[in-house]
Amino acid sequence: MNRAALFDVDGTLADTNHLHVVCWWEALRQAGHDVAMHDIHRSIGLPGEDLLGYLLGEDRDTSEDDMLSAAHSTLYGTYFDRLPPLDAAADLLRELDRRGWRVVLVTSAKDAELDALRRAVDADDAITATASSDDVSEGKPAPDPVHHALGLADAPAHGAVLVGDTVWDMQAGSRAGVACVGLLCGGIPRRDLEEAGARAVYRHPADLLAHIDSSPFADGHRSPNHTA
């Protein structure tokens, strides 16, 4: 049986969530929308259209969506050459690959943004495939991206672990029937991650790597109660 290690990227492998917050805040400000950064932070991890629905309401003028998303992409693109990876992110992916896990990225990022993130993480030799929001009809928190990632890894849900930093990651993984691991480095509280489905919570990739043998990635170990 193939085993799949599914990873979100922003806030999980790369320290980029707050860059996204600032870029969305500025894009919204330029369009005349006053949105608190705290609310934007909670929306990070959703696909662009869903993020705007979360922040501006489903009754918003959706004709602005493309303009707002383009403004965010332009602003965020100014950071592409210096996106910071989280400590030990590449080491974690390579260790799982060495142990026989098929590593698949599950992300809302696409095209140039995804390329920049992969360069930042610098572990392409350990990555089997990438599942983006463009590949499915619904992004996180729907289970569709996770189902797609499982297909890319040719692995069953009971042989997979999803690592992410947002409630959207935990909800998507739980709905797909995979074990979920939460990381605190994206800025979301432990309790929120646990309530959304995290079976274990670690501070960051380095913490997960240090505890890999007692984590959901350990053979036959699927129900730890680790909290950082």
Side-chain angles (χ1 to χ4, degrees):
M1 179 186 74
N2 293 325
R3 300 180 300 172
L6 313 179
F7 278 84
D8 174 60
V9 185
D10 282 304
T12 300
L13 299 175
D15 191 13
T16 51
N17 278 5
H18 290 87
L19 295 177
H20 278 296
V21 171
V22 171
C23 292
W24 276 115
W25 176 83
E26 178 61 17
L28 290 161
R29 187 198 68 79
Q30 290 177 3
H33 299 289
D34 182 14
V35 181
M37 289 195 187
H38 172 78
D39 292 330
I40 298 173
H41 180 218
R42 301 296 299 218
S43 72
I44 298 302
L46 291 171
E49 181 180 345
D50 295 334
L51 178 147
L52 292 171
Y54 179 89
L55 294 174
L56 302 179
E58 297 302 330
D59 59 347
R60 70 191 184 285
D61 179 4
T62 56
S63 66
E64 283 189 321
D65 284 8
D66 288 345
M67 177 193 68
L68 290 167
S69 293
H72 162 266
S73 296
T74 298
L75 291 161
Y76 187 66
T78 64
Y79 297 104
F80 278 0
D81 63 347
R82 56 193 188 280
L83 296 179
L86 283 156
D87 184 40
D91 294 337
L92 174 60
L93 299 190
R94 290 194 175 100
E95 177 61 19
L96 289 169
D97 177 65
R98 187 188 69 78
R99 293 178 180 222
W101 290 81
R102 294 188 172 184
V103 176
V104 180
L105 305 183
V106 188
T107 176
S108 297
K110 54 188 178 181
D111 303 331
E113 181 181 335
L114 179 56
D115 290 342
L117 287 166
R118 292 184 68 149
R119 289 194 301 273
V121 175
D122 193 24
D124 275 359
D125 54 294
I127 297 170
T128 297
T130 299
S132 79
S133 57
D134 281 347
D135 299 322
V136 293
S137 57
E138 288 189 69
K140 306 171 196 174
D144 304 35
V146 181
H147 288 314
H148 180 58
L150 291 172
L152 293 174
D154 192 22
H158 66 268
V161 177
L162 171 70
V163 182
D165 66 295
T166 70
V167 296
W168 319 118
D169 297 317
M170 301 301 100
Q171 290 173 1
S174 297
R175 290 168 183 173
V178 308
C180 295
V181 169
L183 299 184
L184 298 173
C185 46
I188 300 302
R190 179 190 305 118
R191 180 176 179 179
D192 290 7
L193 295 172
E194 290 175 340
E195 289 179 349
R199 296 190 186 183
V201 178
Y202 302 86
R203 288 174 293 166
H204 39 56
D207 186 31
L208 174 53
L209 179 59
H211 295 91
I212 197 75
D213 288 323
S214 60
S215 78
F217 286 109
D219 288 339
H221 196 77
R222 287 294 178 269
S223 58
N225 187 28
H226 177 94
T227 56

